Amino acid sequence: QVQLVESGGGSVQAGGSLTLSCAAGGHTYSSGCLGWFRQAPGLEREGVAAICDGDTAYADSMKDRFTISKNKDKDTLNLQMSSLKAEDTAMYYCAASPLYNLGSRLYVLRGHKAHNFWGQGTQVTVS
């Protein structure tokens, strides 16, 4: 069974930084897509960033502030977030879709509706 476990969330002041990590449970995702999604109360889950076969993509509002990376040795997916804003407050989820083949840009835009393995989420609060 695939298990994704997020960590690194917390509370931070506006303008601050956080790094989220997602442990892939020893499973190396060599194909498909990995990504970060987020969901604020009352809103639909949305894409944040994705990495598919080495190609990365970001939601427009996060492109210059967030960096997604994959650590192959540790089977982890990271999301470095800087210049955080109050509107970044949400539950952040790690996702893996080994069969997704439409590219990183579409995974960010529509991946929340794809067949994914999901982590349990980690809360980010910016005040």
Side-chain angles (χ1 to χ4, degrees):
Q1 184 177 355
V2 175
Q3 286 189 324
L4 301 173
V5 181
E6 301 96 335
S7 62
S11 297
V12 64
Q13 291 188 339
S17 301
L18 279 175
T19 297
L20 306 182
S21 293
C22 174
H27 185 94
T28 300
Y29 294 91
S30 58
S31 63
C33 293
L34 295 168
W36 287 96
F37 296 81
R38 69 185 188 184
Q39 188 167 18
L43 299 179
E44 187 179 20
R45 191 168 296 188
E46 63 176 355
V48 174
I51 183 166
C52 305
D53 296 326
D55 182 51
T56 59
Y58 299 88
D60 289 342
S61 64
M62 303 156 214
K63 185 175 182 179
D64 297 324
R65 301 185 294 123
F66 293 5
T67 302
I68 189 171
S69 61
K70 182 181 175 184
N71 186 321
K72 295 181 180 180
D73 294 336
K74 297 182 179 180
D75 294 327
T76 58
L77 181 72
N78 300 314
L79 183 70
Q80 294 176 281
M81 306 185 294
S82 62
S83 302
L84 285 163
K85 306 174 183 179
E87 50 263 43
D88 293 319
T89 295
M91 185 72 78
Y92 283 70
Y93 296 91
C94 172
S97 185
L99 300 179
Y100 197 87
N101 61 0
L102 298 181
S104 57
R105 181 61 180 164
L106 285 178
Y107 192 62
V108 170
L109 293 174
R110 304 175 190 169
H112 59 292
K113 297 182 179 180
H115 177 72
N116 291 305
F117 298 106
W118 292 100
Q120 83 289 349
T122 186
Q123 178 68 37
V124 172
T125 302
V126 185
S127 59

